[in-house]
């Protein structure tokens, strides 16, 4: 602190050391400023009351960040996945629930934007897609529309092993949607639900996955269930029921079959949940250093840094933080269509490392800082609870990353044992 003025936090990824582009430098600086000046102070309220951080979304809209991954030709900021992830990690440092829900919103632009541009489509599909995404982007940029991304159903579909059980049945002029989604972050706060479902046919196929932007106020949508979880409480991830919800053809956010193409050709799309937790890992480390130096605002200026046990713990945390950042950053460099096998394996490693290490670092931070650090007046106990959620998030939970890694390290595609 210098007088009453708050010292700006340092970047998580120093632009010179990590070779950030001008856009990455500018957007991460903007996110850090918003996070430090606005989101950090509000985070306790969303967490304590388990309510959606709407005020933060107004700021994200005002600053242009709601359109971060909308292509430039549609007047968005045109960020790619890496630029988005670096920006989201800065937000995650200050409010995990805002960064995580922002991911759900941004996915609706990233998937329909640069990711879809990398995938093959017929001329007719491309023409329709360009027109439809224009409608979707305009709502976000002009009206500040917020999108959710409900795909989990409580079965094997969200893990990628079965077609989604939510069905789209063709009717005159559009589709009827029926099904149930669980853990739908932004339930009741989003303006549109970006729903993944399967075309209703005799034999259901993952290749017939469809992706619709459904207005939250459409007839036939209900929200059910309580929301009083351990962490990420501001995400308000309640269940959504769709009962004969009619959507017109133009509600399709991607042509049929293109989501499945993306899953096969663009696997890094599933790493977009990691930035929130990368930010939490950095925040746990920063808190620990400041606390041991006696510099956390609202606590007595007692230094604890002179004890060797504290120094060892911080050293361990620093090692874990640098390792996590390094593999995560390289994974972001790898993100592209048709990555090599090594790049895909590294994506599982990065996902696992970020999700597990953020929680490991938060628990080490608590052990090291001690009893006073778990008071609700300080952010550390929230970081600890929020960080526990990352490894549970499908489709790449920590368990499934380990499953995939073990198998894919030992088997080439199509190989079987006799
Ligand atoms: C804070 C938070 C926000 C969320 N927000 C969203 C959201 O916005 N949209 C959304 O769609 N989902 C969201 N989710 C849901 C999340 O991605 C998972 O779908 C959900 O946590 C699964 O919970 P479950 O207990 O039903 O898992 P289960 O399906 O019971 O699985 C439990 C564990 O078993 C393993 N497993 C599951 N299936 C298999 C399999 N076939 N083979 C081997 N192992 C398997 C996985 O490791 C999984 O973690 C959110 C979750 C959290 C915690």
């Amino acid at each position: 602190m210098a007088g009453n003025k708050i010292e700006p936090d340092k970047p998580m990824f120093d632009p010179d050391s990590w070779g950030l582009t001008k856009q990455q430098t500018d957007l991460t600086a903007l996110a850090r400023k918003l996070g430090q000046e606005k989101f950090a102070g509000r985070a306790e309220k969303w967490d304590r009351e388990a309510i959606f951080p709407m005020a933060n979304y107004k700021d994200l809209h005002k600053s242009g960040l709601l359109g971060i991954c909308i292509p430039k030709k549609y007047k968005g900021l045109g960020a790619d996945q890496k630029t988005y992830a670096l920006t989201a990690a800065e937000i995650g440092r200050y409010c995990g629930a805002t960064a995580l829900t922002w991911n759900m919103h941004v996915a609706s632009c990233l998937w329909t934007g640069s990711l879809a541009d990398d995938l093959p489509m017929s001329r007719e599909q491309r023409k329709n897609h360009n027109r439809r995404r224009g409608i979707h982007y305009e709502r976000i940029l002009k009206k500040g529309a917020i999108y959710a991304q409900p795909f989990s159903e409580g079965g094997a579909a969200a893990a990628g092993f079965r077609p989604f059980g939510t069905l789209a049945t063709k009717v005159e002029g559009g589709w009827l949607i029926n099904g149930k989604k669980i853990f739908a972050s932004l339930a009741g706060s989003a303006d549109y639900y970006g729903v993944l479902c399967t075309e209703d046919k005799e034999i259901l196929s993952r290749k017939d996955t469809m992706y619709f932007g459904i207005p939250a106020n459409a007839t036939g949508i209900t929200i059910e269930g309580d929301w009083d979880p351990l962490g990420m409480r501001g995400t308000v991830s309640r269940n959504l029921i769709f009962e004969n919800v009619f959507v017109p053809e133009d509600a399709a956010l991607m042509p049929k079959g293109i989501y499945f193409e993306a899953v096969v050709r663009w696997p890094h799309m599933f790493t977009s949940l990691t930035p929130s937790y990368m930010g939490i890992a950095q925040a746990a480390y920063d808190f620990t250093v400041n606390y041991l130096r006696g510099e956390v605002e609202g606590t007595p200026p007692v230094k604890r840094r002179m004890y060797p046990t504290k120094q060892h713990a911080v050293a361990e945390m620093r090692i874990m933080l640098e390792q996590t950042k390094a593999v995560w950053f390289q994974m972001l460099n790898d993100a592209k269509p048709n990555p090599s096998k090594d790049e895909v394996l590294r994506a599982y490693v990065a996902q696992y490392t970020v999700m597990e290490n953020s929680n490991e670092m938060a628990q080490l931070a608590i052990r090291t800082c001690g009893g006073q650090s778990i008071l609700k007046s300080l952010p550390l106990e929230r970081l600890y609870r929020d960080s526990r959620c990352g490894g549970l998030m499908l489709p790449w939970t920590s368990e499934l990353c380990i499953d995939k890694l073990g198998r894919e390290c030992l088997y080439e595609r199509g190989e079987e044992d006799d």
Side-chain angles (χ1 to χ4, degrees), residues 99-394:
L100 191 61
T101 49
W102 191 46
N103 164 75
M104 314 309 178
H105 168 84
V106 170
S108 76
C109 304
L110 192 62
W111 293 3
T112 55
S114 60
L115 208 137
D117 288 341
D118 285 337
L119 298 170
M121 286 186 206
S122 69
R123 191 188 286 257
E124 186 63 17
Q125 279 180 324
R126 184 77 65 196
K127 200 172 112 205
N128 277 334
H129 178 62
N130 284 342
R131 188 175 54 75
R132 286 171 180 164
R133 68 179 175 174
I135 303 171
H136 156 60
Y137 296 151
E138 194 173 301
R139 286 175 192 144
I140 295 174
L141 294 175
K142 292 219 170 124
K143 303 202 174 129
I146 305 171
Y147 278 65
Q149 189 201 30
F151 69 88
S152 296
E153 296 179 341
F161 298 106
R162 292 253 185 293
F164 289 103
T166 302
L167 297 182
T169 310
K170 188 78 195 79
V171 291
E172 180 75 32
W175 301 83
L176 276 187
I177 312 296
N178 280 285
K180 174 178 177 174
K181 297 288 183 183
I182 66 161
F183 264 103
S185 293
L186 305 96
S189 300
D191 301 291
Y192 290 84
Y193 297 121
V195 176
L196 286 158
C197 46
T198 311
E199 184 180 6
D200 189 7
K201 286 181 174 169
E202 209 171 314
I203 297 176
L204 299 182
S205 164
R206 288 175 64 217
K207 292 192 174 155
D208 293 325
T209 301
M210 308 192 71
Y211 179 35
F212 290 108
I214 307 182
N217 60 5
T219 308
I221 300 182
T222 45
I223 302 174
E224 59 154 47
D226 269 358
W227 182 249
D228 190 11
L230 169 82
M232 289 292 185
R233 291 166 59 81
T235 63
V236 193
S237 307
R238 295 174 67 199
N239 301 335
L240 290 178
I241 313 292
F242 297 87
E243 220 172 337
N244 288 327
V245 178
F246 174 78
V247 289
E249 303 274 2
D250 278 351
L253 292 176
M254 275 177 165
K256 189 176 71 177
I258 298 299
Y259 173 79
F260 182 75
E261 284 291 322
V263 171
V264 174
R265 294 172 190 252
W266 237 108
H268 287 76
M269 69 192 275
F270 293 128
T271 64
S272 71
L273 296 166
T274 53
S276 318
Y277 298 93
M278 188 67 251
I280 289 175
Q282 179 75 50
Y285 172 82
D286 290 344
F287 180 91
T288 307
V289 169
N290 291 338
Y291 190 83
L292 297 179
R293 288 169 58 85
E295 291 172 354
V296 169
E297 223 181 312
T299 60
V302 178
K303 292 186 183 7
R304 297 171 174 86
R305 66 182 175 188
M306 61 294 274
Y307 307 121
T309 44
K310 308 288 178 206
Q311 294 171 7
H312 291 177
V314 171
E316 264 182 71
M317 288 180 73
R318 183 70 188 217
I319 290 167
M320 218 180 273
L321 181 66
E322 293 291 346
Q323 288 172 339
T324 310
K325 283 165 79 168
V327 74
W328 187 68
F329 196 86
Q330 181 54 39
M331 176 277 288
L332 296 175
N333 288 339
D334 295 336
K336 58 175 173 295
N338 306 310
S340 69
K341 176 173 171 176
D342 279 341
E343 288 166 338
V344 175
L345 297 185
R346 188 156 46 243
Y348 301 145
V349 171
Q351 177 95 6
Y352 178 91
T353 305
V354 171
M355 297 314 201
E356 292 299 306
N357 283 5
S358 61
N359 187 237
E360 181 71 22
M361 286 178 62
Q363 76 86 16
L364 201 48
I366 287 180
R367 194 188 77 187
T368 307
C369 295
Q372 290 184 61
S373 72
I374 61 167
L375 299 177
K376 290 254 181 210
S377 51
L378 298 175
L380 186 54
E381 62 85 36
R382 189 184 71 248
L383 298 175
Y384 176 64
R385 288 182 290 102
D386 285 353
S387 66
R388 184 51 274 180
C389 301
L392 311 180
M393 300 195 71
L394 289 168

